[in-house]
Structure formats: C-alpha cells, structure tokens
C-alpha cells in the first residue's frame, strides 16, 4: 500500500491513531521500529536538530532534504509539518510537488504568516493568515497533487493567537470547503478544554488531529471519547535525545575517559544495525566479487630479515623497508585491497613487532631462522578462505599481476617473470615449463610448471618464479592436505614452496604458469632503490 493511502486511512479510520515525531533518518527509523504507524516531521525538531530556530531559518529545501532521508529510512507514512507552506499558493504548489516526489504522505500547513514563530512562543507574534488567502493555498496544493491520497491537513491557529472558538470554527469550515483532508486544532493550554470545545461543535465534519504537547496530562482515553482521529506526539523523541546528548557530553567532559559512559550508551554495533549494514554486506557479496562468489584472502610470508640488506634491516624485517613513502608490505596490502582482498595474514618472524600496519593478522614464526617457507605457510594456511593469494613479503609488483592471476581459473597458478639478467650473480627459483597440448593463439597461454629449482640464472630457464601464487578453494585444500601429510617428517622443517611444487608435479597436480616480463623487483637483489619508485 502507498504511504499516502496508509496515512489517509489512519485519518479516516474510526479509532484514534498516533504520529510520533522524528527529525532525521535515524530518528524516523527508531520511531518505526518502536511500532508507530506514522511519523510527524516536526518543524520544531527538524530546525532544532539543525541548530536553528523554528522561524523558517532553515530553508524549505533544507527541510526537504532532511525529510527525504527520513522517508528513505522508513516504510511508514510521514506527515510533514509544512509551516505556512513557505510562501503563497505558488510556493505551496512547488512544495507539494517535491514532497510527492520524495514519497512523503502528506503535509500540514498552518494559517499564520511567513516567517512563522513556534506556537508556544510570544503570544503577540502569532498573526493569522487571511482566510481566503489560506484557502487558495489549500486549493493550489490539492490541485497540484498527483496522488489522490496525498493528504493536506489544515492547522487552525485561532486558539494560539487568542481569537477563540468561533474564529476557530469559521476557519475550519472554510479550510474544509477548500479541500483540506483534515483539521489540526492547536492549543497551548495545559488542559484540553479548547480542543474539546471545538470538537463538541465541529463533530465529525472532518477528521481532527491534535498536538497534546501542553495538555500532556489529559488521559489518552479522553481523546478517544471525543473521537479525535490523530494525536501527534510532536517533539518527545527530539527532547529525549537532547537530554541524553547533554548527559553524555557533560559526563565525558568531567571524567576525561569513556569508562563509565560506555555502558549507558548504545553500542557501535547497534548503530551499524540501524544503518542496515547487513544489507550492504550481502549486496557487496553479490555485486563486488561475483566471480569468486564470496571470499578472498591472502597470506604474506615475511618472516626473514634479509641479511644482505645490512643496516636497512637492523631494526625491521625487509618487508617493512620503505621504498619512497611506503613500505613493501604496505604497497602489497594496498594492491590486495584493490582486489577486495581484506582478509590478509602476515607470517612474521624477525622483528615481528615492527609490522604494525592496521587490519592485518600477524602470525608468528619464531623459528624463522631454522625453518623453511613451508613451516611459515603451514602456520597461516588455516586462515586461507576461498580464493587465496600466497605472496612473499619482499617483492614489489605491479597491481595488474593480481588481475592476471585471479582471472585464471586454474586451481594453482604462479607468476613467472621471463625477464632476468644472465649476467647477474644471484640465486632464485628458476623454472622449466612444459606446454600443454591444446593449441593456443598466444604463446605461454597454457603453460604448466615442469620443474623449479633454486639456481643461478641460466639461458635454459624459462623464467623466475616471483613468489606469488593463487589458490582456488580446491587449491587451498590441496596445499593443506600436502602440509598435513608432510608436517611430521623431519625434512619438512627446511622445505620451501618450490619443494612442494615439485612434489605436486610428481603427483600429477598441475601448476599453471602466468607469464610477465619485468615490472617487479625482488628486494633481495635490489641495487638501486630509486628504481622501485614506480611500484
Ligand atoms: C512542530 O512540531 O513543529 C509543531 C507543533 O508545529 S508545535 O511545536 O506544537 O507548534
Ligand atoms: Mg511546527
């Protein structure tokens, strides 16, 4: 059912209904969750929450913006307090048009002059509108509304301005004839006598709404007895929130800590719930990583010092060496984050306390001096969720490597760099590959690892494994099973990942190769740090 229809039915139903004030998206949601069937978009509370007076200091479009948030946050109808309609009949037309576009169910306008003053302030400053002019405003609103059920409530301020019952009745009559869907009869007395006097004469000529702010002691059943349609609790959520804000701010100011306040305020979790973070989390799974279906994670092996780097690694592991403004690890984490990989574990050993980046799981390998890569990997492999990247902590690489490796659907994929210098005197994981039988247009498209060994560069070699691998969920299981099988054997302590690869090949488990040419640096072999700037 449309929000407009819901509000109209509340007005026209024989029983007393209630609107509760709200002044922001979150307060509107809180009102709905409390069980209310409708919301009063109070001018006093909206302007008050913006920190300005209820004298049309907030422009009508600023009010509209707030009401739009309230409407988006809720499914129940909102009757907005439209003050005097923010001008003449023409402003009223524009207001109604914009309210309908924002799914607001109705507007209440009061027969005073722009700029208005709150009805509970300054008795002398409540001049009433000319009746005919106000009727024209109502007519203009009714004529412009597209949805037949959009509600226009005419608020009679005769009692507020001190004019008495007859004036109130005359005005109500005229406004109903002009097309108003209901009359709001307002009073600032501390009892309901004016309102009840009005009802006694008015009867059921139209639905009647009231705002019992000042006559709050009148029992609600009395309103029922007088067959009032709508009671508007016009500002209590706002006032309650002010009190709580004052208490919390003053307490924290006094105590200079959060210890005693924490239990008296809602948890951050509750804030997230009200914002409906759950919906976004589900949507992210659906839209952001449709390929992986759900999760991705990464394990970065970063336990060694990098002795070759001397002074540079005196107090930090090599993964924390700064290249320009950022460390190698920071750069890797940023690249992973860009591919929605946030679940990142780092296996740390040497100076592990120096790895102090946020949002990383640090897993210790205190035996890093006497163990190989597989022991480090074994400590973190249980953190691998879904598609996982395994990465050495000392390589600088271009972000697109991740795209290449994640796009390849094979269960185990490694990145091999075919550009290496034969002159250089260093050792690394050089690979032989074999080509798969299927013909491919692009050389290297379907290459698998044949053997991998730690060696000096040699013209025979296909390329150098850069220390990056991708595993699918199945790939993770293969690695886990392997670790499980080998972990109790003495040679496991010194095994490196290449040893695992060679075992896989023996068992017929394929390791897919993705080839790159350059665009990465192994920090162990770095000669000129300024070269690294482009990563
Ligand atoms: C409001 O809530 O802004 C109202 C009701 O207009 S009253 O403050 O009682 O005038
Ligand atoms: Mg108001």
């Amino acid at each position: 059912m449309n929000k407009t229809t819901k509000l109209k039915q509340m007005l026209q139903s024989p029983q007393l209904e209630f609107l509760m004030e709200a002044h922001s998206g979150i307060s509107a949601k809180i009102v709905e969750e409390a069980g209310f069937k409708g919301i009063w978009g109070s001018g006093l509370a909206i302007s008050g929450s913006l920190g300005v007076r209820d004298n049309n200091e907030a422009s009508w479009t600023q009010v509209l913006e707030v009401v739009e948030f309230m409407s988006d946050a809720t499914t129940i109808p909102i009757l907005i307090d439209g003050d005097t309609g923010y001008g003449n009949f023409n402003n009223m037309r524009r207001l109604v048009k914009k309210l309908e576009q924002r799914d607001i169910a109705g507007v209440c306008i009061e027969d005073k002059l722009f700029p208005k003053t709150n009805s509970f302030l300054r008795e002398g400053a409540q001049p009433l509108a000319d009746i005919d002019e106000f009727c024209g405003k109502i007519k203009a609103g009714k004529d412009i509304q597209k949805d037949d059920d959009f509600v226009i409530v005419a608020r009679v301020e005769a009692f507020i301005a001190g004019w008495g019952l007859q004036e109130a009745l005359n005005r109500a009559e005229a406004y109903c004839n002009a097309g108003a869907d209901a009359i709001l009869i307002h009073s600032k007395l501390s009892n309901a006598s004016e309102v009840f006097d009005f009802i006694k004469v008015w009867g059921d000529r139209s639905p009647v709404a009231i705002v019992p702010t000042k006559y709050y002691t009148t029992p609600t059943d009395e309103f029922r007895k007088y067959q009032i349609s709508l009671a508007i609790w016009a500002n209590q959520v706002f006032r309650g929130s002010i009190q709580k804000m004052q208490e919390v701010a003053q307490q924290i100011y006094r105590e200079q800590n959060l210890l005693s306040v924490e239990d008296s305020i809602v948890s951050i979790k509750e804030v997230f719930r009200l914002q409906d973070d759950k919906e976004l989390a589900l949507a992210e799974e659906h839209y952001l990583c449709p390929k992986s279906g759900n999760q991705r994670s990464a394990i970065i092996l970063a336990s060694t010092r990098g002795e070759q780097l001397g002074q540079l690694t005196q107090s930090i592991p090599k993964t924390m060496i700064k290249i320009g403004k950022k460390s190698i690890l920071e750069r890797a984490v940023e690249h992973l984050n860009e591919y929605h990989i946030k679940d990142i574990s780092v296996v740390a050993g040497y100076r592990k306390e120096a790895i102090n980046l946020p949002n990383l799981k640090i897993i210790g390998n205190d035996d890093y001096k006497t163990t190989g890569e597989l022991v480090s990997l074994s400590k973190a492999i249980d953190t691998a969720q879904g598609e996982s990247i395994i990465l050495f902590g000392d390589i600088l690489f271009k972000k697109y490597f991740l795209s290449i490796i994640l796009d390849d659907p094979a269960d185990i994929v490694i990145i091999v760099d075919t550009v290496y210098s034969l002159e250089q005197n260093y050792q690394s994981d050089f690979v032989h590959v074999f080509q798969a039988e299927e013909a491919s247009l692009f050389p290297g498209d379907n290459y698998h690892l044949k053997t991998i060994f730690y060696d000096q560069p040699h013209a025979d070699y296909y390329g150098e494994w850069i220390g990056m691998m991708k595993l699918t969920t199945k790939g993770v299981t293969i690695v886990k099973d392997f670790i499980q099988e080998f972990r109790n054997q003495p040679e496991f302590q010194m095994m490196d990942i290449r040893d695992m690869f060679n075992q896989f090949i023996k068992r017929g488990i394929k390791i897919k190769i993705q080839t790159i040419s350059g665009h990465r640096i192994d920090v162990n072999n770095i000669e000129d740090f300024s070269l690294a700037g482009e990563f």
Side-chain angles (χ1 to χ4, degrees):
M1 194 192 292
N2 289 340
K3 289 179 178 178
T4 49
T5 314
K6 285 185 195 166
L7 180 61
K8 195 160 214 174
Q9 287 187 1
M10 284 173 77
L11 275 172
Q12 293 178 344
S13 80
Q15 77 266 20
L16 175 66
E17 301 280 8
F18 303 96
L19 296 184
M20 182 74 240
E21 164 265 318
H23 50 275
S24 61
I26 201 113
S27 60
K29 185 145 187 186
I30 287 168
V31 165
E32 177 168 6
E33 285 190 350
F36 283 99
K37 285 158 70 176
I39 292 168
W40 169 244
S42 159
L44 172 66
I46 290 173
S47 56
S49 68
L50 294 172
V52 296
R53 288 169 286 225
D54 189 14
N55 291 69
N56 296 120
E57 289 186 343
S59 72
W60 74 276
T61 52
Q62 288 172 324
V63 173
L64 195 67
E65 217 161 89
V66 174
V67 177
E68 183 170 1
F69 278 107
M70 291 166 60
S71 178
D72 287 346
T74 49
T75 63
I76 54 176
I78 299 173
L79 175 64
I80 179 71
D81 173 2
D83 288 344
T84 58
Y86 309 104
N88 70 4
F89 79 94
N90 193 35
N91 304 90
M92 176 68 175
R93 289 199 297 197
R94 195 130 177 92
L95 175 65
V96 170
K97 182 174 171 183
K98 293 290 143 188
L99 291 174
E100 282 200 291
Q101 286 170 0
R102 281 151 184 79
D103 205 16
I104 307 303
V107 61
C108 174
I109 51 169
E110 62 197 64
D111 54 356
K112 292 202 305 228
L113 303 182
F114 179 92
K116 55 73 62 80
T117 300
N118 184 275
S119 303
F120 303 136
L121 282 169
R122 292 187 281 289
E123 196 166 324
Q126 302 288 348
L128 294 188
D130 174 78
I131 295 185
D132 292 335
E133 195 267 339
F134 195 71
C135 286
K137 223 182 255 187
I138 296 169
K139 276 191 200 129
K142 291 311 287 181
D143 285 346
I144 203 86
Q145 74 184 54
K146 286 202 175 122
D147 178 343
D148 284 346
D149 289 342
F150 183 85
V151 163
I152 295 184
V153 177
R155 167 165 155 181
V156 175
E157 291 277 288
F159 290 134
I160 298 290
W163 287 86
L165 179 62
Q166 196 49 53
E167 182 70 18
L169 288 163
N170 292 347
R171 285 176 174 264
E173 178 89 45
Y175 303 160
C176 277
N177 291 339
D181 298 287
I183 295 295
L184 190 159
I185 185 74
H186 204 11
S187 169
K188 58 176 189 284
L189 297 187
S190 58
N191 60 65
S193 58
E194 284 178 335
V195 165
F196 291 160
D197 286 348
F198 175 86
I199 291 278
K200 278 182 213 155
V201 184
W202 183 254
D204 60 1
R205 275 190 262 175
S206 79
V208 172
I210 58 167
V211 180
T213 304
K214 292 283 182 175
Y215 45 98
Y216 61 89
T217 54
T218 307
T220 300
D221 268 344
E222 289 286 297
F223 305 148
R224 292 199 172 90
K225 226 161 57 197
Y226 282 91
Q227 295 187 333
I228 283 160
S229 292
L230 198 61
I232 298 174
W233 313 124
N235 50 46
Q236 291 70 22
V237 168
F238 180 53
R239 284 159 61 196
S241 71
I242 289 177
Q243 180 175 345
K244 192 68 197 178
M245 289 192 281
Q246 287 170 331
E247 282 169 11
V248 169
Q250 288 163 14
Q251 186 176 356
I252 295 174
Y253 179 76
R254 267 194 322 271
E255 296 177 1
Q256 297 195 353
N257 67 59
L258 305 173
L259 292 173
S260 48
V261 101
E262 183 63 23
D263 284 349
S264 73
I265 56 182
V266 299
S267 62
I268 297 285
K269 216 164 130 196
E270 172 62 0
V271 178
F272 293 152
R273 187 195 68 76
L274 281 163
Q275 291 169 310
D276 203 4
D277 179 62
K278 227 183 212 166
E279 191 279 334
L280 180 57
L282 287 174
E284 279 173 348
E285 261 179 36
H286 189 64
Y287 296 112
L288 282 182
C289 310
K291 247 189 171 162
S292 66
N294 39 38
Q295 282 167 307
R296 282 177 174 171
S297 65
I299 297 172
I300 300 178
L301 304 177
S303 63
T304 54
R305 168 175 173 179
E307 272 89 4
Q308 309 93 305
L309 297 164
Q311 278 292 323
L312 282 174
T313 57
Q314 184 124 36
S315 57
I316 51 171
K318 60 184 163 180
T319 195
M320 292 304 285
I321 289 177
K322 282 218 161 113
I323 311 288
K325 288 203 177 108
K326 293 175 191 160
S327 63
I328 303 166
L329 182 62
E330 219 171 334
R331 286 165 196 274
V333 167
E334 276 182 14
H335 289 346
L336 290 164
N337 285 173
E338 288 217 23
Y339 285 88
H340 311 296
I341 302 173
K342 300 273 163 62
D343 182 355
I344 302 171
S345 302
V346 178
V347 182
Y350 178 74
R351 302 275 183 186
K352 64 180 176 212
E353 68 289 345
I355 300 182
N356 53 4
L357 300 181
N359 305 320
L360 298 179
K361 260 184 234 138
I362 308 293
I363 297 172
N365 176 11
D366 292 332
D367 302 325
Y368 64 93
K369 277 191 182 151
T370 53
T371 55
E373 292 156 9
L374 268 189
V375 168
S376 282
L377 181 60
S378 71
K379 295 197 182 281
I381 193 67
D382 285 340
T383 66
Q385 298 290 331
E387 235 178 356
S388 298
I389 299 287
I390 317 285
L391 186 67
F392 288 165
D394 57 355
I395 59 165
L396 283 163
F397 58 95
K398 289 278 192 190
K399 195 169 65 186
Y400 74 83
F401 293 9
L402 288 171
S403 161
I404 293 175
I405 209 168
L406 287 164
D407 279 349
D408 189 324
D411 289 323
I412 304 174
V413 189
I414 63 173
I415 295 234
V416 170
D417 186 357
T418 52
V419 176
Y420 58 92
S421 157
L422 288 173
E423 277 88 62
Q424 247 183 343
N425 183 28
Y426 68 101
Q427 287 196 306
S428 188
D429 287 319
F430 287 97
V431 304
H432 278 153
V433 300
F434 66 81
Q435 199 170 354
E437 286 89 74
E438 309 104 83
S440 164
L441 279 179
F442 304 103
D445 228 19
N446 233 333
Y447 284 5
H448 290 91
L449 186 65
K450 196 168 164 197
T451 41
I452 175 167
F453 34 131
Y454 194 58
D455 201 357
Q456 302 282 330
H458 191 289
D460 264 2
Y461 298 147
Y462 177 72
E464 183 185 352
W465 179 45
I466 70 163
M468 181 187 286
M469 128 171 80
K470 184 214 73 174
L471 303 170
T472 59
T473 307
K474 187 173 162 207
V476 170
T477 308
I478 292 170
V479 170
K480 276 187 186 169
D481 289 349
F482 179 85
I483 288 173
Q484 196 52 34
E485 185 185 332
F486 276 79
R487 73 182 333 149
N488 292 325
Q489 305 196 11
E491 68 264 33
F492 184 74
Q493 293 303 308
M494 286 314 290
M495 272 172 95
D496 280 328
I497 288 180
R498 67 174 162 275
D499 301 318
M500 177 175 76
F501 287 164
N502 285 329
Q503 287 289 339
F504 283 169
I505 294 160
K506 265 194 207 157
R507 293 161 184 224
I509 298 168
K510 286 187 168 175
I511 298 167
K512 182 79 185 291
I513 300 250
Q514 282 292 343
T515 305
I516 49 121
S517 358
H519 291 163
R520 58 100 206 185
I521 293 180
D522 178 340
V523 173
N524 281 328
N525 306 311
I526 198 162
E527 283 171 348
D528 180 359
F529 270 77
S530 66
L531 284 179
E534 55 177 307
F535 293 88

